[in-house]
Amino acid sequence: MVPMPMSYSFGANATGVNRSSLPLAIPLRGTSFHDMTLPLLFHPFSRPLERHSTLLTALLAEAPIARPAALRWLETVDFDEIDVGEQRLMPFLDSRLRELGINHASSGRVRGLYRRAWYVEQLMHSQLDGVLKIIGEVTTTAVLLKGAALGRLVYDRPVHRPYDDFDILVPFEMQSDVVEAMRRAGGIVEARSFHATMLRMPGGLSVDIHRSPYQMAFQAEHVRPVFTRLHRIEPDEPAGGNSTSRPSAPWLTLSFTDHFLHTLMHGIGLTSLPPIRWIVDAALLMRREDSRINWDLLVDEINRLDFVEPAILGLREVLEFERNENAARVLAELERRPSQPSVMHAGVDAQHLGVVWLWESTRRNAGGPVGRIRLIASLFLARHGLRGLLRRFSRKVVPLSIAGMKGLFKRRDKITRRSD
């Protein structure tokens, strides 16, 4: 049996917000992207709050700037109200406080979160070989995404990059077979989206099997180039700090270029959690692996995948906290190029965001209206069956879509009046 990792959640607001309360956010066709206001595009959690920015400064800035920022955050934070985004940065903050020579009354609370995260990291690592063995029955190409890989690639210690599930990319045509192998091993499918299937394994371990790293581009042609430039994490590659976890065999993960693009795309979308950890991921990738990021290839991939607008937003955000000449050059180049406004989203969620949202999310992935309708119908059918599809369409999708369109026209009128 695979034990369930310890939860990071505590405090009244630790779980974030109810996703059903998220507003429908759709860029208006024919409207200049750069003239739009952020509230039109994003849930408020899509950009760091003031206290998040203070914490990010404490983690990423030079010592003369980081030290007062860290003290200011410690003086003002209420650990009973801390959100999930901040929780997941506490292990990194603990080491940063020691580096800055800060011994605050709240340092013990931060240290306690570090110790909890260290235990979870050891527990998660101990379960990874078992997951990879199941996947290995179908394919030898299992690519680690996000925390399990980034903790070893760009952080001093794996514990600095907490994670509580495994995100694993497999070859596009193998995803359904891998999911079936996980089900034979006792896994239960909890959710399906276009780019991944989420399973709960015996004991509670969560594993997401991806056919694409990207929520907005999930066809075979989008993904194949990624597999031609994978990076290997070797067993003897140092993990840093006092971690006792090492790969028992080489792990595959994305190239540093693809990690950086994936971090931008995953972080900048609409989300129910404060998305601040991705900024640290991206900043450290730039700081420590600048020479291993192929910046020209990055531009080519952004254009190939039609990610210009979200990439602009992501680069602007991260460059506020970490200067990098190559990233600034890429941003300047992208800003000069015409592009189609993109819908920001954290995933395809038919239950909460309605048909309008789903329609926008399929733009890169189907040729014409018929193909897009088929994609949407297939997702509903896979999730709920035919009866559930009809029931949810009548009870949720239609009302939410009508409400979303009403809101869209209200915003359009507001923008028109403001321009007049």
Side-chain angles (χ1 to χ4, degrees), residues 146-361:
K146 301 194 285 189
L150 290 174
R152 294 183 170 275
L153 292 178
V154 298
Y155 287 82
D156 290 333
R157 307 177 181 188
V159 67
H160 288 169
R161 181 50 168 86
Y163 59 97
D164 56 10
D165 64 351
F166 291 122
D167 290 90
I168 301 176
L169 173 69
V170 297
F172 186 90
E173 63 278 4
M174 297 286 189
Q175 193 219 20
S176 59
D177 291 338
V178 170
V179 170
E180 283 305 309
M182 300 292 283
R183 292 180 65 183
R184 288 195 299 271
I188 298 173
V189 174
E190 288 198 320
R192 298 180 189 270
S193 65
F194 288 129
H195 77 296
T197 298
M198 287 64 81
L199 298 106
R200 183 72 61 180
M201 302 303 292
L205 177 67
S206 179
V207 181
D208 296 354
I209 302 298
H210 291 249
R211 66 169 56 188
S212 171
Y214 305 114
Q215 296 161 333
M216 295 181 285
F218 43 80
Q219 295 300 333
E221 62 269 22
H222 296 144
V223 186
R224 285 197 186 99
V226 169
F227 288 92
T228 66
R229 47 181 183 259
L230 297 175
H231 176 76
R232 287 164 63 95
I233 301 176
E234 299 295 341
D236 58 352
E237 192 166 332
N242 60 349
S243 175
T244 60
S245 59
R246 291 179 179 275
S248 58
W251 292 345
L252 293 176
T253 188
L254 300 177
S255 71
F256 290 95
T257 306
D258 292 317
H259 264 303
F260 186 70
L261 180 56
H262 180 231
T263 298
L264 292 181
M265 294 303 102
H266 185 75
I268 199 63
L270 189 73
T271 177
S272 59
L273 300 177
I276 56 177
R277 184 174 60 181
W278 76 270
I279 295 176
V280 181
D281 290 343
L284 294 183
L285 277 164
M286 293 191 305
R287 180 184 299 178
R288 299 180 177 179
E289 304 296 345
D290 179 84
S291 63
R292 300 173 80 174
I293 296 175
N294 185 331
W295 296 96
D296 292 331
L297 175 62
L298 178 68
V299 174
D300 291 342
E301 285 292 275
I302 288 171
N303 282 289
R304 181 180 73 86
L305 296 168
D306 189 18
F307 283 168
V308 173
E309 295 295 354
I312 287 173
L313 291 171
L315 287 168
R316 284 176 180 169
E317 198 69 63
V318 75
L319 284 170
E320 289 187 17
F321 298 94
E322 180 73 17
R323 293 183 180 181
N324 183 281
E325 291 183 4
N326 285 315
R329 173 179 59 81
V330 168
L331 175 60
E333 183 174 346
L334 294 177
E335 288 178 330
R336 290 193 297 268
R337 298 189 178 193
S339 60
Q340 186 174 357
S342 300
V343 172
M344 300 294 94
H345 63 286
V348 181
D349 194 330
Q351 296 185 46
H352 298 315
L353 298 178
V355 165
V356 175
W357 194 268
L358 281 170
W359 182 256
E360 290 293 332
S361 71

Side-chain angles (χ1 to χ4, degrees), residues 29-45:
R29 296 285 183 251
T31 305
S32 171
F33 180 88
H34 301 295
D35 292 336
M36 293 182 183
T37 58
L38 282 172
L40 177 63
L41 284 168
F42 296 111
H43 186 273
F45 271 164

